Amino acid sequence: MISVIVPVYNAEKYIEETVASVLGQTFQDWELLLVENGSTDGTWPLLQRLAQRNDRIRIFRQEENKGAANARNRGLSESRGRYIAYLDADDLWHPMKLERQLAFMQEKQAAFAFTGYEFGDENAKGTGKVVVVPETMNYKQALKNTTIFTSTVMFDTQKLEKKHLEMPQIKSEDTALWWKVLRPGGAEGGCTEQAWGLNENLVMYRRPAVSLSSNKLEAIRRIWNLYRKWEKLSLVYSLYNFCFWAVRAVKRRV
């Protein structure tokens, strides 16, 4: 079984469509864990209604917003499936996403896999900008690459223990987890030699209508802090990786 974990915060506008993209999967051996994270809109009553319609939808409520990492970790602790897949509350999956990715992981005997995806507008209409992913990615490559996107990721908990998949309580927690899992010399059961990329467009990444420059500056601050404070890389090696990261981030979005 695949456990699909979705952190949900003030997502009343989008969550029903996101859930529908899970319900519409060709692979049906899944459970959907919706972790409501202290929303202030009508998200929680909507989640209750969705859960009443399908017993594979499990909902959990956190009284205050402690961030996406905390919500995903709650979902991880409650999960029952062998495989863990993440989905953000406003993104959409292609109907064959789970089927194709699971078959790919089994073929490659992969512990960690990700897929290609397309940028969409606020209404999830595709822009035609599809992110091409490499077949494999190791730790050093991941430091320089923005390719792995949360809503495309799947883990096999028979190869990576759940305790090692907990996201750290820092900004850009998803990237920090990818690096932690791929980092050589990690704890037994806590790392893998490489992540496998399925180069198929199976996810729609919904983006807001307006992208503020302050968000770009925040992204720069976050990745720099990850290099220096989380990975504890030297100044020179941080600059080296950052240059590659910046170029690829721009190319991916234009």
Side-chain angles (χ1 to χ4, degrees):
M1 182 168 67
I2 300 173
S3 295
V4 181
I5 299 172
V6 183
V8 187
Y9 176 71
N10 286 351
E12 181 181 13
K13 183 177 179 181
Y14 302 120
I15 190 61
E16 198 160 8
E17 189 176 5
T18 298
V19 169
S21 78
V22 178
L23 295 174
Q25 291 295 299
T26 55
F27 180 86
Q28 284 287 301
D29 187 13
W30 52 258
E31 62 171 356
L32 177 58
L33 295 87
L34 303 172
V35 184
E36 198 280 320
N37 210 19
S39 297
T40 57
D41 62 0
T43 293
W44 179 245
L46 177 55
L47 297 188
Q48 291 177 305
R49 293 194 294 272
L50 291 172
Q52 289 172 355
R53 298 173 194 167
N54 193 309
D55 59 9
R56 288 179 295 170
I57 298 177
R58 304 168 59 203
I59 58 175
F60 306 90
R61 191 176 197 186
Q62 310 206 122
E63 294 302 323
E64 58 182 289
N65 183 7
K66 296 181 180 179
N70 183 276
R72 291 192 187 104
N73 290 343
R74 171 70 185 278
L76 181 66
S77 68
E78 301 282 356
S79 64
R80 301 168 179 165
R82 169 178 173 174
Y83 296 90
I84 302 294
Y86 292 118
L87 176 60
D88 285 346
D90 53 356
D91 294 332
L92 303 175
W93 279 348
H94 184 281
M96 293 190 68
K97 193 268 186 185
L98 292 181
E99 179 181 344
R100 292 289 300 123
Q101 190 169 21
L102 180 59
F104 177 74
M105 290 188 73
Q106 292 172 339
E107 175 191 348
K108 301 298 184 181
Q109 298 185 9
F112 175 11
F114 56 99
T115 77
Y117 60 96
E118 181 178 2
F119 286 102
D121 63 16
E122 189 173 12
N123 298 312
K125 181 179 178 181
T127 63
K129 179 60 178 178
V130 177
V131 175
V132 175
V133 301
E135 184 176 12
T136 62
M137 189 178 298
N138 61 28
Y139 173 72
K140 289 185 177 181
Q141 292 167 332
L143 289 175
K144 299 184 291 185
N145 203 312
T146 63
T147 299
I148 302 176
F149 172 49
T150 309
S151 292
T152 74
V153 164
M154 188 183 293
F155 292 109
D156 181 351
T157 63
Q158 287 193 6
K159 294 182 170 64
L160 287 168
E161 297 177 38
K162 284 171 61 173
K163 66 181 180 180
H164 296 300
L165 298 180
E166 293 182 357
M167 288 191 174
Q169 302 292 319
I170 58 176
K171 292 182 178 180
S172 294
E173 68 284 341
D174 46 1
T175 299
L177 176 61
W178 318 153
W179 293 355
K180 182 179 76 169
V181 170
L182 291 171
R183 188 186 303 131
E188 184 178 353
C191 64
T192 183
E193 188 172 309
Q194 62 190 1
W196 287 85
L198 174 59
N199 190 28
E200 295 182 15
N201 177 19
L202 297 174
V203 177
M204 179 64 69
Y205 174 23
R206 191 195 303 261
R207 301 174 76 191
V210 178
S211 181
L212 300 176
S213 60
S214 59
N215 291 338
K216 296 175 184 177
L217 290 173
E218 176 62 18
I220 290 172
R221 282 194 291 266
R222 288 184 179 191
I223 195 71
W224 185 253
N225 285 335
L226 286 183
Y227 287 141
R228 299 289 283 146
K229 297 180 180 180
W230 176 250
E231 293 301 306
K232 295 180 169 49
L233 304 181
S234 70
L235 177 61
V236 172
Y237 195 41
S238 295
L239 285 169
Y240 169 78
N241 287 301
F242 179 79
C243 289
F244 283 96
W245 176 87
V247 169
R248 285 175 170 146
V250 170
K251 288 177 65 177
R252 190 182 67 168
R253 287 172 167 80
V254 296

